[in-house]
Amino acid sequence: MRAPLLDTSIRTRLTLAIGLLLALLIVVAALSFRGFQALSHSAHDLVDGKARLAFLADRANQHAQTAANHLLRLLLKPERDARVPLYAAMDEALNAGDRALMQLEKASAERELAGDIGNIRQLRNRYGELFQETVEQIELSGPQSAKRHFEAQTEPALKALLSATDRLATEQQDAMQADVVRLTADAANAQQQITVIALLAIVVGALLAGLIARSIVNPVNEAADIAKSIAGGDYRREIPLGRRDEIGSMLHALSTMREQIAQREAHISRIAYFDELTKLPNRTRFFEDFAKLENTTGAILLLDVDRFSAINKALGHSIGDSLLRGVADRLRSVLGEHDVLARLWGDEFALLLSNADRATALNAGERIRTVLRAPITIADQRLDLDASIGIAFFPGDGLNLTELFRRADTALRTAKRRHSGVALAVHEVEETAPEQLSLIGEMREALADAQFVVFYQPKMDLRTRRITGAEALIRWRHPVRGLVPPGKFIPFAEQTGFIREITPWLLENVICEIAQWVRQGLELVVSANLSTHDLLNAELIKLVVSVLQKEQLASSALCLEITESALMDEPERALQHLDQLAARGIKLAIDDYGSGQASLAYLKDLPVHELKIDRVFVTDVDTTPKNAAIVRSTALLCRELDLIVVAEGAERAEEIEWLANNGCDLVQGYGVAKPMPAEEFVSWVRRFNDLESPSPYPSGNTHA
Ligand code: C2E
Ligand code: CA
Ligand code: CA
């Protein structure tokens, strides 16, 4: 419960306190004033009343006595002439006594002394009469008789008068004494009262000052603390808003200020961290959210709306903006609770999926494409949307977002080029840039110095158990590094475009070699690998045709292996070239089948003769039901499509037997032989085919 004092304003509180103190001061002043007045009144009474009365009584007394003395002296003057001047002095004394008595009567008029004064007046009159009689006796009967009269009558009357006036004076003096005592007591009393009230005023004043100071200082301190916490960015601290005084208004103002600061801060952070158009987090925010992840794996999906710039140009920016908003809304609808979606710029969006594996990321990519593909109507325009998505994984594809974005962006471009929708980031050769540059120079030298050599790996017909073909695989006999496998330089050559120089060299070499073998009576179908670049290179096709002609080699002795991904980059042009090659009788094979994402469906439109099942499905095919199912169904389908099935990478006899029993036509792998240099290969094949028991099948029955 709060003291009701806190509900009154500080101004009222101060006014009340000061008013109370003033009232106490006024009381002190009034009391002092009254005390002083009473004292002065008493003093006046003392001086003007009783003292004067005593004084006048005393004077009247003295004059009466003086007159009596003159009379006594008169009584002692027998001769009349000597008495005359004394009469004048005696009358003078009597008159003075009368004047004093009259003054006494006047002074005692308001006092309750009428009885005493009346008595004195009577005694005076009596004394006056007897005095006169004594005087008359002097003149009539002589001093002796007058003296007797005086002693008998006048003197007693004088004594009575003197004693009465004396009594009055004494009474007044006693009263005066009592008054002085009372006055002193009154003064002490008044002093005490004033002291008490003054002390009371001091105590009350101090108390009020303390209370008021506390009622102001405490909330001001609290307000200062709150202001400090606002400055520190903490907006949750409770502000007590119940007060109705000035502090209350100050706290109210503080609370309003805090709200507005919070609002403005939110606004600023909205501008800094959010994209105005779509209300999605922006690039900065995305980077910050990514930086907050700790020891997490996951995926970055980079998304780009297909044909957006064309739509923007054709229909205007406002429709473009609406489109981006529509895209953002659709993307939001597929977001998981912890996913972060941001618009990076233009029509590029990024999605952060923490803890996502390959399948989850691909699934998310497909879900996004599905929601985006539903037609969208903007300003009566029906638009068909699609998007391309590049996916990079962390930490595998990169530890920082810049690296991941770069990889995902490359994947995104691949997806766009191939019209495949989604593409995963691929690892480039793990070499640093300076090494790579020197590698290009080295490769050029290698070509000139004939450091590249071709190895051949045999392909065995599973029915005849004879070698009917081979795959040409390049090797680099590096003067320092030794024999470098193609995995270490072919991807780099593809990336840098140097493959354009390697493949023609290799094909020329291989065709010459096969032609020589034919001349030696060894007829084999030899495969060579083509990369994406080669497949899009029209010159290369011309070269192959011309070398075949020059060597007078049948086109069917050459098979070119292509991967699904090589086909994806520019499917139309690649297909055109494949058609040209097939039309000339050159055989074509799909390499590494199953490792990509494409389905078998597209195969029927390709002019291919052969399908090579990737090693991952062949390894342990005899013991792994899943691999077995894939290989078996692929073999069946190939039979339907009239394609030769080659199983790659069989290493064990059991695998080879399983493949023979499950519809595979040819096998290539360490289980038959490792790749060998040309001369070694020729003698090996001769030995193998001669040693093998004669085939139960006529050679024309083989697929090769
Ligand atoms: P690829 O076309 O799939 O070639 C088969 C690879 O599997 C060869 O590796 C071969 O040595 C290996 N191999 C065959 N049988 C087995 C087996 O039983 N077990 C194991 N573990 N491996 C087996 P290589 O020679 O290192 O070639 C690697 C890749 O380099 C090739 O894969 C091909 O894509 C590429 N390549 C090789 N030579 C050329 C070339 O002249 N031009 C182009 N463009 N690419 C080439
Ligand atoms: Ca191959
Ligand atoms: Ca292969």
Side-chain angles (χ1 to χ4, degrees), residues 544-619:
V544 171
V545 173
S546 75
V547 178
L548 280 174
Q549 271 174 358
K550 195 180 96 196
E551 294 293 327
Q552 293 180 322
L553 185 68
S555 306
S556 58
L558 183 66
C559 178
L560 296 176
E561 296 186 2
I562 48 174
T563 57
E564 292 162 87
S565 61
L567 272 169
M568 294 298 184
D569 265 10
E570 273 182 64
E572 290 89 6
R573 201 138 67 95
L575 190 61
Q576 215 182 330
H577 290 165
L578 287 184
D579 280 334
Q580 287 173 15
L581 289 169
R584 302 208 191 261
I586 296 165
K587 291 189 169 150
L588 298 171
I590 294 289
D591 202 359
D592 302 341
Y593 178 78
S595 63
Q597 297 139 27
S599 71
L600 265 177
Y602 80 109
L603 282 179
K604 68 178 187 339
D605 299 325
L606 291 177
V608 290
H609 309 85
E610 188 179 295
L611 189 116
K612 296 182 83 173
I613 300 177
D614 196 81
R615 189 158 46 119
V616 292
F617 303 107
V618 175
T619 303

Side-chain angles (χ1 to χ4, degrees), residues 457 471-475 485-487 490 494 499 506 529-531 561 591-592 615 648-651 668-671 675:
Q457 186 176 30
E471 179 175 2
L473 296 159
I474 196 167
R475 299 286 181 269
I490 290 295
E494 282 174 352
I499 194 77
L506 179 117
N529 294 284
L530 287 193
S531 68
E561 296 186 2
D591 202 359
D592 302 341
R615 189 158 46 119
E648 267 193 297
E651 295 187 357
Q668 175 188 344
Y670 294 174

